Amino acid sequence: MEKRKTAEFLVWVVTIFAIFVSVSCIDDKCSACNAIAEELELGLSKEKPRNHLDMRHRLDSKGQRRGKLIDYRVSELRIVELLDGLCEKMQDYTLEKLDSTRREWIKVDDWNNLTIDKQEARAYAKDISSYCGRLLEETEDEFAELIKKGFVRTGEVSKVLCQDLSKHCIVSDSHPLEYVDDEESDGEL
């Protein structure tokens, strides 16, 4: 009985520790934002050409169809299809330690093949998913408008989302992509 209580206590301590460690992982908002941009890039690259949206459902007095014909590329439907479920997809990502100072967000294909602690990896996945929600909440309207106007194309999502809109990554001559401290950035993600 005593061993069981000790084991339960240790599991509780490890869980709390994993939560605190995982919360600190979003300190590198540039890296997290780039992982989200990578998932959006994947969504853009998988888009199939679509016809215009035919919204001409009403008939006038002469029997002619009335309404709008909307280009799919600038439609709300396209925005919804690109962003819907994005943050849930981020639960397939976790933080991998590259060396003693560097970590990188990776997409996990098979959680059973992970070499790191699975509970900690799942905590990281929840963190980036939550971060994604906050990032979209802050940037979604502007990002949607830029997509509609054709300014967001495959290969440019990271620049638009992480540099221009959220300002979590800055470009300088010495460091191509660099983390911006919260005190310097406009947002509070």
Side-chain angles (χ1 to χ4, degrees):
M1 184 73 173
E2 186 65 32
K3 287 183 182 180
R4 183 178 172 174
K5 286 185 178 184
T6 303
E8 288 175 357
F9 177 74
L10 285 175
V11 168
W12 180 79
V13 168
V14 168
T15 303
I16 297 299
F17 177 73
I19 290 169
F20 283 119
V21 168
S22 65
V23 169
S24 68
C25 70
I26 304 295
D27 284 344
D28 187 357
K29 291 180 175 76
C30 180
S31 175
C33 186
N34 282 321
I36 293 165
E38 181 181 308
E39 192 63 37
L40 272 168
E41 288 277 355
L42 190 60
L44 280 172
S45 68
K46 287 183 176 181
E47 273 187 321
K48 293 178 174 63
R50 301 268 305 256
N51 291 331
H52 296 320
L53 301 176
D54 190 352
M55 305 304 284
R56 299 175 295 174
H57 301 296
R58 294 187 327 215
L59 296 177
D60 64 11
S61 60
K62 297 178 183 175
Q64 300 295 316
R65 292 173 57 182
R66 293 280 181 220
K68 293 181 181 179
L69 193 62
I70 302 170
D71 184 355
Y72 175 76
R73 289 175 293 160
V74 298
S75 70
E76 286 291 324
L77 177 61
R78 180 178 184 219
I79 305 303
V80 168
E81 288 178 347
L82 279 173
L83 299 181
D84 190 41
L86 174 67
C87 296
E88 287 82 22
K89 291 176 188 171
M90 295 312 297
Q91 290 186 18
D92 292 337
Y93 283 75
T94 192
L95 203 56
E96 180 179 63
K97 188 174 184 179
L98 299 176
D99 57 39
S100 62
T101 60
R102 294 182 321 145
R103 294 178 175 205
E104 180 180 87
W105 290 99
I106 60 163
K107 188 168 188 168
V108 178
D109 295 320
D110 186 358
W111 287 90
N112 294 322
N113 291 338
L114 278 181
T115 56
I116 61 174
D117 177 38
K118 288 175 182 50
Q119 189 173 16
E120 183 179 347
R122 291 283 188 190
Y124 288 135
K126 287 181 182 178
D127 287 338
I128 195 166
S129 180
S130 296
Y131 169 77
C132 174
R134 292 188 307 269
L135 179 68
L136 287 183
E137 185 177 314
E138 184 177 287
T139 62
E140 186 172 10
D141 293 338
E142 292 171 285
F143 191 62
E145 283 304 312
L146 292 173
I147 290 172
K148 286 179 185 179
K149 292 177 181 175
F151 293 127
V152 180
R153 293 182 290 273
T154 304
E156 300 173 357
V157 176
S158 181
K159 180 192 177 308
V160 172
L161 184 63
C162 304
Q163 293 174 31
D164 301 341
L165 292 178
S166 72
K167 309 236 185 299
H168 286 245
C169 302
I170 58 171
V171 177
S172 68
D173 294 335
S174 60
H175 298 92
L177 285 178
E178 183 177 286
Y179 169 67
V180 178
D181 193 346
D182 279 344
E183 294 170 5
E184 296 174 21
S185 70
D186 296 330
E188 193 181 300
L189 297 178

